[in-house]
Amino acid sequence: MTTRNHDEGQFEQLIEELSHLSSYTIGRSTNNAIVLSNSRISGQHARLIQCTPDSFLLEDLGSKNGTFVNGTRLTRKVVDRTTTLELADIPFTVEQLLDFQKPEPPENPDTIPQVQSRPVSSPEATQNPLDFTTQFAELKRVFEQYPTLRKDCRNREKMVRTGSIILSSIIGVSSVLATGGSALPLLQIMSGAGLSMLLPTLCSTLLSTEEKIEIIDKEYRERYRCPNPTCRDPFGTREWDFLAKQKTCRRCQAIWIK
Ligand SMILES: [Zn+2]
């Protein structure tokens, strides 16, 4: 009994650690993570908070000449890697800004295991190219986690609790210990498990509830689709069980269930 409580405590602590999202300050001052030496850029101009591999929160830090997306001056906005934004009147994509990062020695790059979340196809398999049964099975978790995450993200304490339950269901305590409780390898493991990679964002104190919901909806829309890369038909609100009965994609003939 005590073991169980001990494990839960461990997962809660882990979620707490994971919820410290990476953020990149942008500005003219050399103490920024991304230094832009242009007189129209303020000393501390903006920052990007990384929420998932592709989603960021862009925040203006009270700059003189402003931060814009699609011509609209903003204080905060959820953006993608490919979003073009303007700092003062200078356009950058998020991707380009991240490339301007000061070359800092990354923390022990060699110790980060190259965890493939789950192999998409085993090399020896000469299986039917329309067989997407493994990938489709994983979407069950996306569909099931979506409403819970959306509901609980309004309350940080509840979210940490939900997070530790989800985490313990997908990763055993032994895997956690194997990573030394380090955040990055865990995120890589979590990237193959439904919407689990959203947990740090949803437990973070840096985002508002509305911003969290926007990111949950966005990731759900991007993931809950026909797994055939040439199709990617969005499933919307259709239940996973309903789709499972259908067995194949009517659009691309991909096999979801054998
Ligand atoms: Zn399809």
Side-chain angles (χ1 to χ4, degrees):
M1 285 201 300
T2 45
T3 314
R4 183 161 187 84
N5 291 339
H6 174 72
D7 293 350
E8 280 176 16
Q10 193 169 18
F11 280 111
E12 284 193 16
Q13 195 193 329
L14 196 61
I15 283 286
E16 185 70 40
E17 281 170 33
L18 285 171
S19 68
H20 298 281
L21 303 176
S22 302
S23 94
Y24 307 90
T25 55
I26 308 164
R28 220 176 53 242
S29 305
T30 51
N31 61 357
N32 287 289
I34 298 164
V35 179
L36 301 172
S37 41
N38 184 301
S39 59
R40 298 197 297 282
I41 306 273
S42 295
Q44 310 286 330
H45 198 106
R47 74 168 167 170
L48 284 166
I49 299 167
Q50 181 149 27
C51 301
T52 69
D54 289 315
S55 299
F56 295 79
L57 184 85
L58 170 66
E59 184 181 25
D60 184 86
L61 298 176
S63 70
K64 181 162 178 271
N65 294 317
T67 301
F68 304 80
V69 173
N70 295 327
T72 306
R73 188 166 183 165
L74 55 91
T75 41
R76 292 164 73 89
K77 188 175 173 61
V78 174
V79 294
D80 281 328
R81 229 166 232 286
T82 55
T83 302
T84 299
L85 54 106
E86 285 174 45
L87 300 175
D89 53 354
I90 312 161
F92 301 95
T93 64
V94 169
E95 190 91 74
Q96 283 171 335
L97 285 170
L98 293 172
D99 286 344
F100 289 140
Q101 267 177 87
K102 278 186 289 191
E104 257 177 77
E107 348 171 340
N108 305 325
D110 297 338
T111 63
I112 298 165
Q114 296 299 310
V115 182
Q116 288 288 330
S117 52
R118 237 164 274 179
V120 176
S121 60
S122 45
E124 77 277 9
T126 49
Q127 58 181 16
N128 185 340
L130 282 174
D131 183 337
F132 289 93
T133 49
T134 312
Q135 296 90 330
F136 180 77
E138 285 173 6
L139 293 180
K140 186 175 170 60
R141 191 132 58 180
V142 173
F143 184 75
E144 287 173 350
Q145 285 177 349
Y146 178 60
T148 313
L149 294 180
R150 212 172 187 280
K151 186 165 134 265
D152 286 354
C153 80
R154 297 181 181 282
N155 176 322
R156 183 164 193 273
E157 235 168 77
K158 252 191 197 168
M159 194 62 243
V160 171
R161 194 99 188 101
T162 305
S164 76
I165 292 167
I166 291 178
L167 205 56
S168 55
S169 74
I170 55 168
I171 316 175
V173 181
S174 55
S175 313
V176 173
L177 293 176
T179 64
S182 160
L184 190 53
L186 275 174
L187 282 177
Q188 287 175 318
I189 293 170
M190 282 155 66
S191 70
L195 297 171
S196 305
M197 26 61 85
L198 282 171
L199 293 177
T201 301
L202 304 184
C203 296
S204 168
T205 51
L206 296 175
L207 286 91
S208 72
T209 300
E210 287 66 34
E211 287 162 350
K212 290 178 184 182
I213 288 179
E214 190 180 343
I215 293 171
I216 300 175
D217 289 350
K218 178 173 172 287
E219 295 288 343
Y220 173 79
R221 275 196 309 271
E222 278 166 21
R223 276 155 198 271
Y224 197 53
R225 290 168 177 263
C226 176
N228 183 353
T230 61
C231 175
R232 306 284 297 145
D233 190 25
F235 293 156
T237 54
R238 276 178 286 169
E239 287 178 24
W240 187 89
D241 286 338
F242 170 83
L243 296 165
K245 277 181 204 139
Q246 194 181 308
K247 291 189 173 178
T248 54
C249 179
R250 285 177 189 154
R251 194 163 167 238
C252 72
Q253 309 309 315
I255 301 157
W256 296 335
I257 299 271
K258 271 185 189 156

